[in-house]
Amino acid sequence: MDRLLERDSALDELHDALADATRGQGRLVLIMGEAGIGKTSVVRAFLASLSGNRAVRILRGACDDLVTPRELGPFHDLAPGARAELRTALAAGDMQDFFEALLAEIASPVSVLVVEDVHWADDATIDALAFLARRVEHHPALIVVTYRDDEVPPESPLLRLLGRVRRPAGRRIALGPLSARAVSALAGQLGAGVRLHAWTGGNPFFVTELLAAQDEGLPASVRDAVLARVGTLPEASRALLDLLAVVPTRLETPLLDALHPGWAGDVVPAERRGIVEVHDGALAFRHELARLAVVNGMPAVQRQAAGRSVLAALLRQDPLDEARVLHHAVLCQDATAIATHGPAAARRATRAGAHRQALAHYEQLRPHEDLLDPAERAAVAEEHAWELYNALRFADAVRLSRHAVDLRRDLGEKSALGRAMVTLAWHLYLDAEVAEARSAVDDAVALLEQAGDPEALALARSYRGFLNVLSDREEEGLAELADLAARHPAGDPLDAAWTIYRGLGLAFLGDEAGLELVQRGVADATARGQREFAALGYTALVKAARRLGRDADVRSFADAGLARTRETDLRSHGFTLEAHLHQLCVQEGRWDDAEKGLRNLLRAAPEAGILGRETLPHLGRLLLRRGHPEANELLDRAWQLGLRTDILPVLVPAGIALIERAWLDGDPAAQRQRAELLLARTDRPGVGRYRGELLRYMKRCGWPVREFAGCPPEYLLGLRGDWAGAAEEWRRVGDPYERALELADSGLREPTLEALAVLDDLGAVPAARLVRARLRDLGVTRIPRGPRAFAREHPAGLTERQVDVLHLLGEGLTNAEIAARLVLSIRTVDHHVSAILTKLGVASRREAARLARRSD
């Protein structure tokens, strides 16, 4: 488009961000919009305005629509113009060195780094951009990222980056369609412009392509417009475009020379017509939609032939780009090329931390595994299983691990077989087959003792120690791990993991020293660049702090861990950390936030194996407290998972939730046997929180209970009938629901009325029903009606108290001022505001206030 219409504000935003960067306050700007909306045009116009400015250095790369994206693709694009350190780190594939070199690249002078089309980005590219996003504010750099916001599904790794973009360091520019007036200006006449705007929706690409086709009838689709333009080109130019169309990326000069000698002359007609462009030594379609129009218009036989030509040229390159080779091999169904280059492409993606891409490569390779030699086939199966584990597909990981064990057994190599059995044991544990996992790791240890391989034996014994710590056999696990640490010198690759699990085992037994030990292990793993162990260590910190009752630490550890895991694609660890934050939201009374977060996790990993303990019982119990019919199915699933694993961290949360259900339903006898089972299992060190909560709900059910040494005070006071003391302890802990239940046990009108108000604010319908009955027993005649009737009447489902808060938002009051006006705690107002934003479907309190003023 010669004239860039209606994009002045976007360009102004970019220039403002560059001004900040020039002052040393770096910025990250996201430019978003649908395909063809003009993201690249805005970037080009901005960069063109910087031409001749030698004080600003420009680095530019793009992501490509490969079957499986090339790891760090845009950074390979910009590498020729970068410093030698970045090129060296990129070639070596060491992510830590690459991150450091990338940061140094933007440190001086003032730099503009442009990465386009990150909706196609590989995980490693997202990791790199997330790394920069956290640090850019302290460097003289402007990072410009473009993406199609309508092509970002909930599971996209791009969300890790988008979640980091907050002012002042981060800015967002959402490009919208052109107005009818702008389209009319381009068309040159009002009537044609209005019709064109109606047909295209104001998409600049559609508009310009249709105008450039100069077809008086105005083709009905962009495909027809593009093909009409392409059809007028010379035959040699069309042949070049056919080759270019099967490459969902750029064709660099060496490849062009090999594929189409004389391309420099043949490209001129297409370049003049704006179909393609030559930039930074590579040829590409000006817009992806144009490429798709051409490739979809080619007969299948012709597409295959062009693809084979590109594949042959790629195979002659040195060094090979395995990801691009594999892409074209898959498109051409060249089994030999897939088998030859697939393992290297997958392993490179794994090393770069691009785990989704690695998994895609392994799955492309799987149908052709018979072409691999037996040892390579076994290795690929094991590596594939680890990527399935990282994708939370634990049952699939078990199946592939069993296959790898069978392959290793056929090869007859005891050491390799033992290692494969260790891998199988870990995947079995994560798939909730705890007993079989223990058996498998025991078999691996016995086999490796015979094999005489000390390194493999240490690995097997390590995992046996880990499994014991995680499955209620902490003392056995601690003994094994301590022995390993004593036998091996400091600096062993596994010693950070030994330290982490030793600390976790101590914490599970109630020893506060365990937390410090886990922290030491995390520090060691981080210093050595062991990203998997460091991420694992953060989940251990959260579990240890939770078991020890240090909930304030749970949040800080989870936040710190997520900051690390979001820079990588370690999904299982991130899943656990996020789940614990949502569990804290339940405890704090932020029920809308908790439900939304837990549902998202459950949706992202419906069959998450043992990790279901982090979602099923907690979401089920929350829905139970809200009176939601889905609660029963979730709690029953949680209990079945508990029985399948037969370990306390899975059994107890599900079991206590079912006992609470029995109390709320007025049918405690149905759960008496389950309560006795849990009572026997929690008679051991380190589970005081579990046992205290169990006994408190048993007492609510009317069953006799006994105090025990080490019972947390919030439970102990409730067991003793000291409702006021217990309520105060729950205020300190920060659990309004449990506090309300203690107030309701007072037998006094005022505390019971206060309990009802809290429960109504939370939306705890079943408990509020019980409290209303108690108030009637106390002779209270004017009992406040519940919020549900009001919520049914309100168009957005707001409770009466939430409407009060909304009106005060409309007056411009802060949360603290609202709390003072309504005589509520600031935390309660925070919860109400969060719920209001969710129910109204708005993103900010400013939008909510505007709606409130409009309704007033």
Side-chain angles (χ1 to χ4, degrees), residues 78-265:
L78 61 84
R83 298 185 179 95
E85 290 80 0
L86 182 66
R87 295 196 298 273
T88 301
L90 192 59
D94 185 303
M95 289 301 290
Q96 187 168 353
D97 289 347
F98 171 70
F99 280 6
E100 292 174 1
L102 188 58
L103 194 60
E105 193 70 27
I106 67 168
S108 65
V110 178
S111 302
V112 175
L113 169 62
V114 176
V115 180
E116 297 190 70
D117 296 329
V118 294
H119 51 277
W120 288 324
D122 63 289
D123 291 331
T125 293
I126 298 297
D127 293 346
L129 290 172
F131 175 84
L132 291 178
R134 291 180 61 207
R135 297 160 175 84
V136 66
E137 190 172 8
H138 307 294
H139 293 81
L142 169 60
I143 302 172
V144 180
V145 173
T146 73
Y147 73 101
R148 297 180 186 173
D149 54 349
D150 58 350
E151 293 189 19
V152 184
E155 68 276 10
S156 171
L158 177 57
L159 295 175
R160 295 204 306 273
L161 173 63
L162 301 184
R164 296 189 176 282
V165 180
R166 297 183 180 89
R167 283 187 176 271
R171 300 180 184 180
R172 299 172 189 262
I173 300 174
L175 297 182
L178 298 176
S179 67
R181 178 177 295 181
V183 175
S184 297
L186 289 170
Q189 52 179 301
L190 181 60
V194 171
R195 290 194 300 273
L196 187 57
H197 186 269
W199 286 327
T200 64
N203 181 291
F205 174 74
F206 292 175
V207 171
T208 53
E209 291 301 313
L210 292 173
L211 286 172
Q214 296 180 350
D215 187 328
E216 292 182 359
L218 292 173
S221 69
V222 172
R223 175 180 174 276
D224 292 340
V226 173
L227 293 182
R229 296 174 66 195
V230 170
T232 63
L233 296 173
E235 183 178 349
S237 296
R238 295 200 305 271
L240 174 60
L241 292 190
D242 287 345
L243 279 173
L244 184 61
V246 299
V247 181
T249 178
R250 310 155 2 124
L251 268 179
E252 296 83 2
T253 300
L255 272 176
L256 285 166
D257 290 338
L259 285 166
H260 193 102
W263 66 271

Side-chain angles (χ1 to χ4, degrees), residues 441-709:
V441 80
D442 285 341
D443 291 345
V445 169
L447 178 67
L448 290 169
E449 285 174 341
Q450 297 173 13
D453 184 339
E455 183 179 331
L457 178 59
L459 178 72
R461 290 189 61 203
S462 298
Y463 274 83
R464 182 163 69 180
F466 302 162
L467 286 174
N468 280 331
V469 166
L470 294 170
S471 58
D472 303 339
R473 299 183 178 185
E474 295 92 347
E475 291 180 352
E476 293 177 45
L478 287 170
E480 183 119 51
L481 296 173
D483 183 63
L484 284 165
R487 289 172 179 269
H488 292 78
D492 188 283
L494 287 168
D495 67 1
W498 296 336
T499 303
I500 289 167
Y501 275 103
R502 283 168 59 204
L504 185 60
L506 289 172
F508 279 0
L509 292 173
D511 189 339
E512 293 272 349
L515 203 56
E516 184 178 344
L517 201 57
V518 178
Q519 289 176 295
R520 195 177 84 195
V522 171
D524 289 347
T526 301
R528 297 173 189 174
Q530 295 174 316
R531 292 184 292 171
E532 175 83 16
F533 286 165
L536 179 152
Y538 279 105
T539 66
L541 282 172
V542 165
K543 291 175 185 176
R546 190 72 167 157
R547 184 73 72 91
L548 293 167
R550 294 173 57 169
D551 291 340
D553 290 329
V554 171
R555 182 172 298 283
S556 63
F557 291 147
D559 285 339
L562 283 170
R564 295 293 183 89
T565 58
R566 282 171 180 157
E567 287 184 353
T568 61
D569 191 28
L570 300 170
R571 294 181 63 197
S572 63
H573 303 301
F575 183 97
T576 299
L577 295 170
E578 283 192 38
H580 275 80
L581 288 177
H582 300 322
Q583 291 164 27
L584 282 180
C585 286
V586 175
Q587 176 178 301
E588 294 165 355
R590 296 166 55 194
W591 286 6
D592 287 336
D593 292 343
E595 181 178 341
K596 181 181 178 181
L598 289 169
R599 283 191 182 278
N600 285 341
L601 287 179
L602 193 59
R603 194 177 299 116
E607 302 295 333
I610 204 166
L611 296 188
R613 70 187 177 194
E614 310 295 358
T615 54
L616 293 173
H618 303 284
L619 178 58
R621 195 173 186 183
L622 173 56
L623 295 181
L624 168 71
R625 291 175 174 182
R626 305 190 97 163
H628 195 294
E630 191 182 347
N632 289 334
E633 186 263 338
L634 290 171
L635 290 178
D636 290 343
R637 283 175 59 190
W639 181 251
Q640 290 305 313
L641 180 65
L643 293 177
R644 183 174 161 193
T645 61
D646 195 33
I647 59 176
L648 287 176
V650 192
L651 275 171
V652 173
I656 295 179
L658 289 170
I659 293 168
E660 182 177 353
R661 182 178 72 181
W663 169 64
L664 289 171
D665 290 346
D667 185 22
Q671 299 295 332
R672 183 63 185 265
Q673 186 175 358
R674 186 170 286 137
E676 294 296 339
L677 167 66
L678 295 179
L679 196 60
R681 292 290 297 271
T682 57
D683 186 13
R684 47 163 290 167
V687 291
R689 272 190 115 177
Y690 286 162
R691 191 171 180 83
E693 185 178 15
L694 172 64
L695 289 172
R696 188 65 189 94
Y697 274 91
M698 288 178 67
K699 182 175 181 181
R700 289 191 176 116
C701 287
W703 301 326
V705 296
R706 288 185 179 179
E707 299 177 10
F708 66 95

Side-chain angles (χ1 to χ4, degrees), residues 13-29 46 50 55-57 106-113 136-144 168-169 171:
E13 185 85 1
L14 286 169
H15 281 290
D16 288 345
L18 180 59
D20 289 343
T22 303
R23 292 190 291 269
Q25 299 170 339
R27 297 291 182 254
L28 169 66
V29 177
F46 173 63
L50 303 181
V56 177
R57 187 160 164 265
I106 67 168
S108 65
V110 178
S111 302
V112 175
L113 169 62
V136 66
E137 190 172 8
H138 307 294
H139 293 81
L142 169 60
I143 302 172
V144 180
R171 300 180 184 180

